[in-house]
Amino acid sequence: MNSVQVQRPQSHIPMTAQAEKCAHCGRPLVRPGTVVPFVGVVGPECKNKFTPLLMLVAEVEMLQFNVDDQDSQRLAQGIAGTLTRIGFEVQKRVDVRKGTLWLEITGRKVTKRGSEMVKTFEQVRAEFEQRLQLAAAEREAAVGVSA
């Protein structure tokens, strides 16, 4: 059964913007900083801290889960729980006609500073990556079955 699919790729090209200081560490910015979604404008060092996190978030945004498959549902729930623990606000969206569910990252909890989010993310990175690898394996198996 096709439990996890990839949606159309979304652009996550970093944009630059002027800001007086980095939204993560508070250092003054003399050049335009990089806009990190849900964090703000950050300097070059802080941008590097958020890159792995943003790559995983982008991958999550491309996944679609089969609403009729319990394993797919558990995988979506686990990924949503991990994102919530590291400070993101996650909404589950469902298209009943297509039988798909996807996760939409709608914001970041304002109670978590960026440094706390990065530290917490580093603690759960292995779990998060394992779940995404499972989703990728399910996608590949589904493609192999339908081919």
Side-chain angles (χ1 to χ4, degrees):
M1 177 174 276
N2 190 5
S3 58
V4 180
Q5 299 174 359
V6 178
Q7 292 179 346
R8 67 190 186 297
Q10 298 178 0
S11 176
H12 288 279
I13 299 170
M15 297 181 292
T16 59
Q18 293 289 344
E20 289 185 24
K21 61 183 183 175
C22 174
H24 176 65
C25 69
R27 288 188 202 163
L29 296 177
V30 294
R31 293 188 200 101
T34 301
V35 178
V36 175
F38 313 115
V39 175
V41 179
V42 298
E45 297 88 9
C46 293
K47 174 189 159 207
N48 292 334
K49 292 178 184 179
F50 284 97
T51 298
L53 174 66
L54 294 175
M55 289 172 51
L56 289 173
V57 168
E59 188 171 343
V60 167
E61 290 176 338
M62 294 188 308
L63 295 174
Q64 288 187 346
F65 303 89
N66 184 330
V67 296
D68 297 322
D69 180 54
Q70 289 293 333
D71 289 334
S72 186
Q73 291 273 350
R74 276 192 287 277
L75 181 60
Q77 182 63 34
I79 291 172
T82 300
L83 284 168
T84 300
R85 278 199 321 271
I86 62 174
F88 286 102
E89 295 172 351
V90 181
Q91 297 281 324
K92 288 184 185 176
R93 304 289 187 206
V94 177
D95 185 337
V96 177
R97 292 180 303 198
K98 293 181 181 178
T100 59
L101 172 142
W102 65 95
L103 303 174
E104 186 176 301
I105 298 156
T106 58
R108 184 172 75 92
K109 294 177 186 172
V110 294
T111 57
K112 286 227 180 204
R113 290 184 36 87
S115 56
E116 292 173 18
M117 178 187 277
V118 170
K119 183 179 177 183
T120 306
F121 167 69
E122 289 170 353
Q123 293 170 354
V124 297
R125 180 190 313 230
E127 171 196 341
F128 196 72
E129 288 178 347
Q130 182 179 19
R131 288 188 172 160
L132 289 175
Q133 288 172 356
L134 177 60
E138 287 185 9
R139 279 196 312 265
E140 289 174 12
V143 169
V145 170
S146 63

